[in-house]
Amino acid sequence: MTVCIFLLLSLLTLSGATRSGIVGGKEVKKHSRPYMVSVQHGGSHKCGGILIRQDFVLTVAHCLNTILSPNAGPKFLEVVLGAHNIQKHEESQQRIKVQQHHRHPKYKKYTEEGDLQNQWTVDIMLLKLKSKAKLNKFVKVLALPKKHDKPPAQAECTIAGWGMRKPHGTASDVLYEVSVALLPLPQCKEKWEQYFHPDCMMCTATARNNSFCQGDSGGPLICSNKPHGLAIYTYPGECNKPEYPQVYINITSFVGWIESVMGKKFRNANGQRTNFW
């Protein structure tokens, strides 16, 4: 079992989750998720993310794995806000260049060492934008959960993304969402063994018509109107394989690091100072 999972995660690092998609679910009401971000490189969608301050987007670190090269560096990275159809130039959209990316400091170390067991435990990244987003009815900041906020086990949550509607399928231009149920942490650990860390991960049940797909990276897991997780991995090649829960990084485990990168003065959508940690 352990060897199989090692090979499975090795495939994940090679294929990556660079195109976002939702299996099943439904098309969201236009602009009902104004915090959603399309992280793009060279005009192509790579990952999902969330706007957590006017000048910061939260997403996952492995989003950059396939584009950090001499000929395709982060200087071409940008985000699209206020989008429903990412293939159209909607009037609601704001396209902003990324000034700097901040992957968790341990992520590069684990990646270079080939330490898959720990790489996923710090799969989180902040993007500092070159200019502040203009907040309106199409673009809004989503407040992070407090450090000790924990959704109840088996809570009903949702995740949204653009793209693949089925394994090996084609990408969708518009934003889709699907409802998912949280699983108890021991159940996640039992299936993924040493590659699941309960202190910094969570997982949801997988169904044939109810899952995120390769790869809905960075898409927020919303529980009780708060972003508790970011999609990081599922079964490669068959994202809706029921035997394998879908795994997310637990945002609340990293609020201290987020604070250190962004600074303690965090302002919400109304311009009021808010301390989440």
Side-chain angles (χ1 to χ4, degrees):
M1 177 66 176
T2 300
V3 173
C4 291
I5 291 180
F6 180 84
L7 292 175
L8 174 65
L9 290 175
S10 296
L11 287 173
L12 277 167
T13 62
L14 293 175
S15 62
T18 59
R19 298 186 71 184
S20 171
I22 295 293
V23 176
K26 62 182 180 180
E27 181 178 344
V28 306
K29 181 181 177 181
K30 287 185 178 181
H31 309 299
S32 60
R33 292 174 175 261
Y35 50 81
M36 283 293 298
V37 175
S38 170
V39 179
Q40 301 194 357
H41 186 264
S44 176
H45 175 83
K46 295 298 180 183
C47 294
I50 49 177
L51 186 69
I52 59 172
R53 198 170 80 179
Q54 284 181 268
D55 57 344
F56 271 99
V57 166
L58 183 66
T59 184
V60 292
H62 80 255
C63 184
L64 294 187
N65 282 4
T66 61
I67 60 178
L68 282 181
S69 65
N71 297 322
K75 65 180 180 180
F76 298 110
L77 201 63
E78 59 187 0
V79 301
V80 177
L81 313 170
H84 180 67
N85 188 325
I86 57 174
Q87 296 302 319
K88 292 184 177 180
H89 295 289
E90 301 164 320
E91 292 185 3
S92 59
Q93 292 182 11
Q94 298 177 39
R95 187 176 290 272
I96 304 175
K97 297 289 185 181
V98 172
Q99 177 177 306
Q100 192 174 11
H101 69 276
H102 301 269
R103 291 192 286 187
H104 192 279
K106 291 184 179 180
Y107 185 83
K108 182 178 180 181
K109 174 179 180 292
Y110 292 144
T111 301
E112 290 177 345
E113 293 174 354
D115 187 354
L116 297 174
Q117 185 171 335
N118 284 307
Q119 176 182 324
W120 301 102
T121 66
V122 289
D123 193 0
I124 192 167
M125 175 172 66
L126 282 163
L127 301 176
K128 175 69 167 65
L129 306 183
K130 280 192 173 181
S131 59
K132 291 184 178 181
K134 297 177 182 178
L135 302 182
N136 52 43
K137 65 179 181 179
F138 306 113
V139 177
K140 294 182 180 180
V141 169
L142 183 62
L144 295 178
K146 294 182 179 179
K147 188 173 183 178
H148 300 293
D149 278 354
K150 293 182 179 180
Q154 298 179 311
E156 286 294 325
C157 306
T158 61
I159 183 169
W162 289 273
M164 200 177 297
R165 302 288 291 121
K166 63 180 180 180
H168 309 293
T170 57
S172 169
D173 298 337
V174 299
L175 189 62
Y176 269 78
E177 66 182 352
V178 69
S179 296
V180 291
L182 278 180
L183 293 177
L185 295 178
Q187 192 170 337
C188 310
K189 180 71 173 177
E190 179 183 4
K191 179 58 66 174
W192 288 105
E193 297 185 358
Q194 70 268 34
Y195 294 98
F196 184 86
H197 295 254
D199 56 337
C200 59
M201 295 177 177
M202 55 180 61
C203 80
T204 59
T206 304
R208 288 296 181 188
N209 61 347
N210 220 41
S211 66
F212 68 80
C213 201
Q214 272 78 20
D216 211 7
S217 308
L221 181 69
I222 305 295
C223 309
S224 303
N225 298 316
K226 292 183 179 181
H228 282 275
L230 298 173
I232 52 174
Y233 69 81
T234 184
Y235 195 91
E238 193 177 351
C239 56
N240 57 346
K241 191 177 180 68
E243 297 88 340
Y244 285 89
Q246 309 206 7
V247 182
Y248 310 77
I249 203 77
N250 188 335
I251 292 174
T252 58
S253 301
F254 295 91
V255 290
W257 174 74
I258 294 171
E259 177 186 25
S260 69
V261 174
M262 295 194 342
K264 296 181 179 180
K265 296 179 180 179
F266 189 103
R267 296 184 180 277
N268 64 19
N270 298 317
Q272 299 171 326
R273 184 172 298 177
T274 306
N275 291 317
F276 294 114
W277 308 282

